[in-house]
Amino acid sequence: MTPALIRASSPAAGVTELEYTSLGKTGLRVSRVGLGTWQFSDAWGVTRYEDAKAVVARALEVGVNLFDTAMVYGRGMSEEFLGRALRELGARRDEVVVATKIPGDYLHPDDIPRAVEASLKRLGLESVDLMQVHWPPCWHNFPTCRYMRALERLVELGKIGHLGLSDYPVELAEAARYCLARHDVEVIQVRYNLAERMAEEEHLPYAEENGMSLLAWSPLAKGAILGKYTLEEAERIQDLRARDPLFRPSNYRQLLRLAEAIKAVAERYGKTPAQVALNWLITASSTVIPIPGARSPRQVEENAGAAGWRLSFSDWRLLDEASRGLRLSYLPG
Ligand SMILES: NC(=O)c1ccc[n+]([C@@H]2O[C@H](COP(=O)([O-])OP(=O)(O)OC[C@H]3O[C@@H](n4cnc5c(N)ncnc54)[C@H](OP(=O)(O)O)[C@@H]3O)[C@@H](O)[C@H]2O)c1
C-alpha cells in the first residue's frame, strides 16, 4: 500500500468529530477509542469479508483511525481483511495507525523477520505502525534481549514503526525495554474494563510514568457488563465466550448488577451502556485507549461516541464503587 492510495476519512453527517490523543511518545495522532479486529475470525464470527469491510468503513467515517489486529486472529484472516478494507476504502496511509501483534511462539530471532514479512504481506503494507509482542514466550526459552533486539532491527530497517508489549508483567516489560538501544516501548496492551481492573495496580501507573499508552483490551468485558444478555441467554452463547469465566453464572449474575448501575448512569446522560463503560476508562486516565471489538457498523459508531465527553466525578465514583463490590473467580467450575 502506498501513501498516495489512501484518502482522508471524514466524519459522516450527524456524527460528532472524535477526540484524538497521542500514541505513547510516537507523535502519532490516534482516536481516543480504537477498533479491535479480533472479531474478524472464526472465534467471533465475522468471517465474510464484506461484513468486516462495512465495520472498517464505518470506523473511518466516524473518525476512528487506530486499528488493532494480530497475526493469530483468524490465523491471518483479521490482518488480511483489515488491510484489504483499508486499501479498498482508500484510507490515507498517514491517517490510519495499524497495530498488529507477533505471538510469543514466533519470537525465535531467526523467525521474526519472516513472521513480520508475512504479516505485512497479509496487511498489504510496506511497514506497520505498531508491532506488539502479543504475549511473552513461555515454552521456548527465547532470550528477551535476542528477540527485542531483532524487533528493534526491523524498526531500524523501516518495517516496524514502533514497538509495544501485550500481556507482559511490568517486571518483564522493564527487562525488555532495557534490551533496546535506540527505541522504546510505546504501548502496553492489557485486559482492562470496569469489571476487571487489575491493570490499575501496576500496568497503568507504569504506563503513565513512562509516557506510554495503555491499550485496554476487552474494554467491554466482551459484552458481559452491558446487560445485553439475560443469564439464560449468556449460558447459551456459542462463540468463544462459552468458555469465558465472565459468562459463568456465578460471575455473570454479579455482572448483571453492575450492568444495572451502568445502565442507570447511561440513561442520565442519554448515552448507551457501552459508551458509559468505555468513557469510564478514559475519564480517569489520559493514558488509556480502549480498543473495543465490533461485529457491526452500528457498534463501531456507538463505541466512537464514548469519547468527546466525560462522566461527572460523582457518576465515575458511583461505577467505581459498584465494580469494587464484585467477587469474580477464574477457577473452573
Ligand atoms: N492483547 C490481547 O491479548 C488481546 C486479548 C483480547 C482482545 N484483544 C483486542 O481487544 C479487542 C477488544 O476485545 P474483545 O473483543 O475481547 O472484547 P470487547 O471489546 O470487550 O467486546 C467486544 C464485543 O462486545 C460486543 N459489543 C461491541 N460493541 C458493542 C456495543 N456498542 N453495544 C453492545 N455490544 C457491543 C460485541 O459482541 P456481541 O455483539 O456479539 O455481543 C463485540 O464482539 C479485540 O478485538 C482485540 O483487538 C487483545
Side-chain angles (χ1 to χ4, degrees), residues 39 68 166-167 218 220 228-229 241 293 295 299 303:
Q39 276 58 24
D68 181 75
S166 165
D167 306 324
S218 288
L220 299 170
K228 59 188 286 193
Y229 302 111
R241 291 175 284 195
R295 300 213 298 177
Q299 288 182 345
N303 297 340

Side-chain angles (χ1 to χ4, degrees), residues 66-324:
L66 172 63
F67 297 90
D68 181 75
T69 181
M71 295 182 190
V72 297
Y73 293 165
R75 296 171 299 284
M77 180 189 287
S78 170
E79 287 188 326
E80 260 176 50
F81 282 7
L82 175 64
R84 183 175 162 198
L86 290 173
R87 208 163 44 247
E88 288 182 6
L89 292 161
R92 267 184 59 156
R93 183 68 189 95
D94 57 353
E95 290 194 353
V96 293
V97 174
V98 177
T100 192
K101 311 186 201 80
I102 180 166
D105 320 42
Y106 294 5
L107 291 175
H108 188 294
D110 297 341
D111 288 342
I112 289 175
R114 282 196 298 135
V116 170
E117 199 178 1
S119 162
L120 291 174
K121 193 165 171 221
R122 284 190 295 273
L123 287 163
L125 295 174
E126 280 302 313
S127 125
V128 71
D129 303 300
L130 178 71
M131 180 64 71
Q132 304 154 100
V133 179
H134 204 154
W135 58 79
C138 40
W139 312 115
H140 302 287
N141 312 312
F142 302 141
T144 307
C145 280
R146 287 288 303 284
Y147 69 76
M148 288 307 289
R149 289 287 292 158
L151 287 168
E152 187 172 42
R153 184 162 304 119
L154 295 181
V155 179
E156 290 291 303
L157 289 167
K159 293 285 128 189
I160 293 175
H162 302 280
L163 297 171
L165 298 173
S166 165
D167 306 324
Y168 267 61
V170 292
E171 295 85 350
L172 189 52
E174 187 67 14
R177 289 175 72 203
Y178 176 78
C179 305
L180 299 173
R182 292 171 60 90
H183 301 274
D184 196 3
V185 168
E186 301 290 352
V187 161
I188 294 284
Q189 181 173 146
V190 283
R191 178 197 297 257
Y192 185 33
N193 59 61
L194 238 171
E196 301 178 295
R197 298 175 53 184
M198 283 294 174
E200 291 170 12
E201 302 294 325
E202 297 180 359
H203 292 91
L204 187 52
Y206 184 72
E208 285 173 343
E209 197 177 324
N210 290 286
M212 300 163 171
S213 290
L214 184 139
L215 300 196
W217 64 256
S218 288
L220 299 170
K222 298 189 174 76
I225 56 173
L226 303 179
K228 59 188 286 193
Y229 302 111
T230 63
L231 188 61
E232 295 69 31
E233 286 165 346
E235 280 183 287
R236 286 200 299 272
I237 292 179
Q238 288 300 322
D239 58 27
L240 80 170
R241 291 175 284 195
R243 294 180 306 280
D244 192 306
L246 291 184
F247 289 82
R248 288 197 203 119
S250 56
N251 289 331
Y252 196 76
R253 239 181 243 112
Q254 300 179 56
L255 296 176
L256 282 175
R257 286 197 292 277
L258 174 62
E260 280 303 312
I262 295 173
K263 194 170 156 217
V265 171
E267 275 165 10
R268 281 207 291 283
Y269 287 74
K271 304 286 181 192
T272 66
Q275 290 172 333
V276 165
L278 297 172
N279 189 277
W280 188 90
L281 296 175
I282 64 176
T283 289
S285 173
S286 53
T287 297
V288 175
I289 304 177
I291 47 165
R295 300 213 298 177
S296 66
R298 191 194 56 75
Q299 288 182 345
V300 187
E301 178 169 352
E302 191 178 318
N303 297 340
W309 58 282
R310 291 293 183 269
L311 287 167
S312 71
F313 178 53
S314 59
D315 286 322
W316 187 89
R317 278 198 51 230
L318 191 151
L319 296 179
D320 177 45
E321 291 290 327
S323 78
R324 280 181 197 284

Side-chain angles (χ1 to χ4, degrees), residues 21-90:
T21 187
S22 302
L23 188 72
K25 303 174 291 303
T26 65
L28 292 172
R29 181 174 172 268
V30 293
S31 47
R32 202 66 189 76
V33 174
L35 173 68
T37 65
W38 184 16
Q39 276 58 24
F40 307 164
S41 64
D42 300 334
W44 278 99
V46 182
T47 53
R48 280 188 55 233
Y49 169 67
E50 291 304 328
D51 295 338
K53 183 179 177 183
V55 169
V56 176
R58 197 75 191 114
L60 292 173
E61 280 165 13
V62 297
V64 170
N65 78 335
L66 172 63
F67 297 90
D68 181 75
T69 181
M71 295 182 190
V72 297
Y73 293 165
R75 296 171 299 284
M77 180 189 287
S78 170
E79 287 188 326
E80 260 176 50
F81 282 7
L82 175 64
R84 183 175 162 198
L86 290 173
R87 208 163 44 247
E88 288 182 6
L89 292 161

